[in-house]
Amino acid sequence: MDYQTLDTIADAYIPLLLLIALLTMAIRSAKNKSTIAANLQILGSLLLLCAGAYGLMFIDQRLGLWPSVGLDYSTHTAIAVVLVYVLLLLFPGARLFTGASLAIYAGLMIYQGYHSLSDILSTGIVIIGSILLLNLLQKRHA
């Protein structure tokens, strides 16, 4: 496949994950009203984590945190990790599939020259830390 085709595939990954997540929540809520509260909590987590991922992007642009260590903050990785987390909340048994899709996406970003493995790993670690912090805060308020 040529660069443009792979670029199109890479560009479709995040919107596809988002579409799957939102449609799943909508369908489950329509079929079973008792899932509405859980789906709203998942949606809230999605929005908070995406806001955090983009917030980190703006902070990095201002302060140059990643460039100061020779790296590049990967907004694509950040949002992909958030969406994979949300899909795992919705489909707990799909760890292998969602994990593999994220690994393939990371490989595609490296192959296409968007980011280095270090960019992807450093961003992913920070976002996973944000997810763990959010989970801890949610458990305290439950």
Side-chain angles (χ1 to χ4, degrees):
M1 282 193 247
D2 65 355
Y3 183 90
Q4 284 305 113
T5 303
L6 293 174
D7 187 57
T8 301
I9 292 168
D11 286 346
Y13 179 73
I14 288 174
L16 180 62
L17 293 184
L18 180 61
L19 182 64
I20 291 168
L22 294 175
L23 283 176
T24 299
M25 285 186 272
I27 291 167
R28 287 182 180 179
S29 292
K31 285 184 176 180
N32 185 353
K33 300 298 182 202
S34 67
T35 64
I36 292 174
N39 286 333
L40 285 174
Q41 184 175 2
I42 293 170
L43 182 60
S45 295
L46 171 64
L47 294 173
L48 266 170
L49 290 166
C50 283
Y54 282 108
L56 278 171
M57 178 191 71
F58 289 117
I59 290 169
D60 183 55
Q61 287 175 347
R62 284 279 200 225
L63 302 179
L65 300 173
W66 267 258
S68 72
V69 292
L71 299 173
D72 183 31
Y73 177 78
S74 172
T75 309
H76 289 99
T77 298
I79 298 301
V81 169
V82 167
L83 287 166
V84 164
Y85 167 70
V86 166
L87 288 174
L88 287 173
L89 292 176
L90 294 167
F91 303 102
R95 286 185 298 255
L96 182 61
F97 177 77
T98 54
S101 78
L102 187 58
I104 291 167
Y105 182 60
L108 182 57
M109 286 192 290
I110 293 167
Y111 181 79
Q112 291 290 93
Y114 303 157
H115 291 286
S116 70
L117 180 59
S118 297
D119 297 338
I120 292 166
L121 290 175
S122 63
T123 302
I125 288 168
V126 171
I127 296 303
I128 289 169
S130 300
I131 290 168
L132 293 173
L133 180 61
L134 180 62
N135 282 334
L136 180 65
L137 293 172
Q138 286 176 336
K139 286 180 183 178
R140 282 192 173 181
H141 291 285

